[in-house]
């Protein structure tokens, strides 16, 4: 039995001794492809047969770490460290890249500084971006088609977007996904799903990249609303306008009402006080509009002088509104204009407006 065992072991021992010989050592197992998320660490193994002298790790052709058989690993950067696994027949160096960056992506090479003594693999660093559907719920009318937008921002590479409704995959023909690359070499994707919901549906947008253990997802509940419900929702914008307009109109109406009340109250007060004066003012205002005599009419305040002369008018307050103005128009204003134009108006205005005197003359003729 012992002989038999030895007989079986012989080839292994032979192989081991052969690899142990200087001329035959080589890389037994090179690194393998890795895909990691940015910020995490990446690990690569390189197993060499005994007899090796030096092992060099290169990232995109730049040496990042060296292991010397007699010395051990020589680490010059915090980002690149290693672990060693030693046994009688082989040696394994494990390179650890910490805090991987997007630009670490590329070729990882293990070299034993010998012709054909190198092996390589690829590192892919990916970025887990964000995924969102703007609204979490959407209430739609029956038989209406809606577009649901799912937005993936800041990914590397561009994620695969798929959609699910409740728990089943939606056919690719029902959505369109567009990709774009940002300035920071990250990708954005916009997926638009066209949908005519018949029933309440929970829609899920999934974004996947290789480095993610499971796809990122965003959901929206699409509720087929009742006419009343959906009116409230879909016409939200118009209803707010209606409300705004209603408020504006009511406020304006209120202000007008207040002005009206103020005017009425004012009139009453004036009636109580010197209505004659008031009427004279009215007349003067009319005159203003007619003649545009401006300040000259102001001198109508001299009318006050007339108040004591003709008190009967004040007595006729109630009817004054309709009839007396007519009479006053003809009786009172004339002296006004005479006095005003004669006393104050002319000397000043004469030079300014030659038209005024003419008009005044007309009045006096009448
Ligand atoms: C490793 O990645 C490279 C580049 O992505 C690819 O060409 C190669 O086939 C991959 N190797 C394996 C074993 O997957
Ligand atoms: C490298 O090899 C060691 C020892 O066999 C093992 O524990 C480790 O998981 C390996 N690492 C990789 C990235 O394969
Ligand atoms: C690995 O072990 C061998 C002996 O088994 C030793 O000579 C060699 O220096 C060790 N290498 C490392 C890197 O520890
Ligand atoms: C890789 O990107 C980082 C920042 O993300 C930067 O600091 C570093 O210099 C870049 N390395 C190379 C080789 O471009
Ligand atoms: C990817 O990003 C999302 C959102 O930022 C986060 O919820 C998720 O945990 C991330 N996944 C991984 C594996 O880091
Ligand atoms: C999403 O909700 C906002 C208010 O929260 C609304 O203004 C917007 O129109 C909604 N978008 C869709 C597509 O319904
Ligand atoms: C929606 O469409 C179905 C079938 O086309 C029809 O039976 C139903 O009356 C429609 N409902 C409304 C509110 O238009
Ligand atoms: C989807 O799920 C919602 C809530 O779970 C349910 O009300 C609705 O009937 C489902 N729709 C379909 C088409 O299965
Ligand atoms: C969405 O993501 C959450 C955690 O982020 C997970 O629990 C859930 O199962 C995911 N849904 C789908 C449909 O993948
Ligand atoms: C809408 O609501 C009314 C009562 O408000 C109900 O009778 C009707 O069945 C509802 N329709 C749907 C489609 O839910």
């Amino acid at each position: 039995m012992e002989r038999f065992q030895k007989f079986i072991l012989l080839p292994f021992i032979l192989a081991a001794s052969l690899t142990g010989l200087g001329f035959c050592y080589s890389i037994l197992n090179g690194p393998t492809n890795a895909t990691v998320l940015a910020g995490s660490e990446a690990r690569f193994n390189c197993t060499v047969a005994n007899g090796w002298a030096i092992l060099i790790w290169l990232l995109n052709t730049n040496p990042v770490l060296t292991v010397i058989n007699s010395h051990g690993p020589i680490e010059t950067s915090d980002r690149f460290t290693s672990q060693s696994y030693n046994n009688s027949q082989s040696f394994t160096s494990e390179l650890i890249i910490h805090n991987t960056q997007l630009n670490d992506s590329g070729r990882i090479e293990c070299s034993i500084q010998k012709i054909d003594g190198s092996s390589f693999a690829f590192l892919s660093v990916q970025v887990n971006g964000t995924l969102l559907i703007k609204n979490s719920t959407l209430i739609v009318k029956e038989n209406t088609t809606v577009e649901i937008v799912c937005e993936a921002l800041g990914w590397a590479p561009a994620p695969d977007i798929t959609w699910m409704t409740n728990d089943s995959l939606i056919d690719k023909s029902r959505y369109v996904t567009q990709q774009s690359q940002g300035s920071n070499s990250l990708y954005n994707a916009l997926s638009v799903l066209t949908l005519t919901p018949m029933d309440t549906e929970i829609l899920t947008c999934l974004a996947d990249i290789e480095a993610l253990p499971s796809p990122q997802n965003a959901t929206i509940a699409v509720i087929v609303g009742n006419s009343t419900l959906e009116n409230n929702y879909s016409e939200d914008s118009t209803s707010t306008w209606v409300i705004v307009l209603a408020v504006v109109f009511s406020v304006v109406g209120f202000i007008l009402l207040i002005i009206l009340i103020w005017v009425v109250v004012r009139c009453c007060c004036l009636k109580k006080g010197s209505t004659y004066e008031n009427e004279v003012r009215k007349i003067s205002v009319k005159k203003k509009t007619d003649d545009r005599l401006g300040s000259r009419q102001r001198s109508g305040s001299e009318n006050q002088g007339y108040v004591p002369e003709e008190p009967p008018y004040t007595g006729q307050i109630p009817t004054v509104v309709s009839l007396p103005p007519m009479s006053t128009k003809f009786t009172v204003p004339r002296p006004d204009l005479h006095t005003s134009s004669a006393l104050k108006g002319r000397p000043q205005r004469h030079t300014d407006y030659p038209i005024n005197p003419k008009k005044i003359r007309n009045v006096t003729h009448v």
Side-chain angles (χ1 to χ4, degrees):
M1 288 294 284
E2 279 184 64
R3 273 186 191 173
F4 185 67
Q5 276 183 341
K6 274 178 185 173
F7 185 71
I8 287 170
L9 281 171
L10 193 67
F12 291 99
I13 292 161
L14 199 72
S17 60
L18 273 172
T19 51
L21 295 171
F23 59 88
C24 230
Y25 72 88
S26 63
I27 294 172
L28 300 174
N29 252 318
T32 54
N33 284 355
T35 301
V36 299
L37 282 177
S40 64
E41 64 182 32
R43 290 166 178 261
F44 298 93
N45 272 352
C46 187
T47 303
V48 292
N50 279 341
W52 62 283
I54 191 168
L55 188 154
I56 303 163
W57 283 105
L58 303 107
L59 170 57
N60 287 323
T61 71
N62 298 315
V64 293
L65 190 132
T66 300
V67 191
I68 298 169
N69 195 348
S70 54
H71 186 274
I74 299 164
E75 293 165 0
T76 52
S77 161
D78 288 346
R79 285 192 60 222
F80 303 96
T81 63
S82 75
Q83 272 187 340
S84 299
Y85 306 92
N86 205 357
N87 68 37
S88 51
Q89 279 90 46
S90 66
F91 170 81
T92 299
S93 173
E94 184 177 38
L95 173 73
I96 304 161
I97 306 174
H98 301 270
N99 187 24
T100 49
Q101 302 296 306
L102 205 53
N103 59 12
D104 290 333
S105 296
R107 188 172 144 128
I108 292 284
E109 188 175 347
C110 165
S111 168
I112 52 172
Q113 206 167 301
K114 237 183 118 210
I115 292 162
D116 295 333
S118 86
S119 177
F120 61 87
F122 290 92
L123 168 64
S124 168
V125 179
Q126 306 193 333
V127 178
N128 175 27
T130 59
L131 188 73
L132 82 153
I133 299 176
K134 287 230 172 72
N135 296 16
S136 58
T137 52
L138 188 61
I139 302 170
V140 294
K141 275 184 196 172
E142 213 183 332
N143 291 357
T144 50
T145 300
V146 289
E147 287 190 340
I148 293 158
V149 179
C150 182
E151 209 175 355
L153 296 175
W155 294 71
D160 277 336
I161 305 270
T162 49
W163 288 83
M164 289 174 83
T165 175
N166 279 7
D167 279 321
S168 57
L169 276 170
I170 294 177
D171 191 80
K172 281 204 188 313
S173 63
R174 287 174 57 195
Y175 53 88
V176 177
T177 305
Q178 284 181 321
Q179 292 172 357
S180 60
Q181 190 172 17
S183 54
N184 48 5
S185 75
L186 298 176
Y187 292 83
N188 303 326
L190 200 71
S191 190
V192 180
L193 173 71
T194 307
L195 178 81
T196 310
M198 287 297 155
D199 193 2
T200 294
E201 289 184 46
I202 309 296
L203 290 162
T204 306
C205 168
L206 300 135
D208 200 15
I209 48 174
E210 195 188 340
L212 279 178
S214 63
Q216 238 194 85
N217 69 56
T219 58
I220 182 171
V222 177
I223 299 159
V224 178
N226 213 334
S227 54
T228 50
L229 258 177
E230 114 237 332
N231 281 347
N232 284 344
Y233 184 82
S234 62
E235 291 170 21
D236 212 19
S237 56
T238 52
S239 68
T240 50
W241 275 109
V242 167
I243 289 164
V244 164
L245 286 176
V247 167
V248 165
F249 279 125
S250 61
V251 164
V252 166
F254 187 68
I255 288 166
L256 284 173
L257 193 69
I258 284 173
I259 289 168
L260 198 69
I261 289 166
W262 181 80
V263 165
V264 166
V265 167
R266 181 86 188 204
C267 283
C268 288
C269 287
L270 285 170
K271 277 175 192 172
K272 276 182 184 176
S274 58
T275 45
Y276 181 70
E277 210 180 315
N278 188 30
E279 269 152 34
V280 170
R281 261 181 218 162
K282 277 182 190 171
I283 292 150
S284 67
V285 168
K286 279 178 184 175
K287 287 280 172 181
K288 266 182 197 174
T289 51
D290 292 339
D291 303 338
R292 296 191 181 181
L293 277 170
S295 62
R296 197 160 298 172
Q297 298 288 342
R298 281 284 163 194
S299 61
S301 60
E302 289 163 17
N303 296 338
Q304 284 168 337
Y306 289 89
V307 175
E309 285 180 29
E310 299 176 37
Y313 283 111
T314 54
Q316 294 177 350
I317 298 158
T319 50
V320 158
V321 182
S322 56
L323 293 171
M326 294 298 285
S327 59
T328 49
K329 255 188 187 176
F330 295 105
T331 55
V332 181
R334 283 176 204 166
D336 276 10
L337 292 167
H338 278 301
T339 51
S340 64
S341 59
L343 292 171
K344 286 182 180 179
R346 274 187 182 167
Q348 290 178 347
R349 298 280 172 172
H350 187 66
T351 49
D352 296 337
Y353 304 104
I355 306 154
N356 292 341
K358 284 179 185 174
K359 283 191 175 179
I360 289 153
R361 275 174 203 160
N362 288 341
V363 173
T364 51
H365 282 302
V366 171

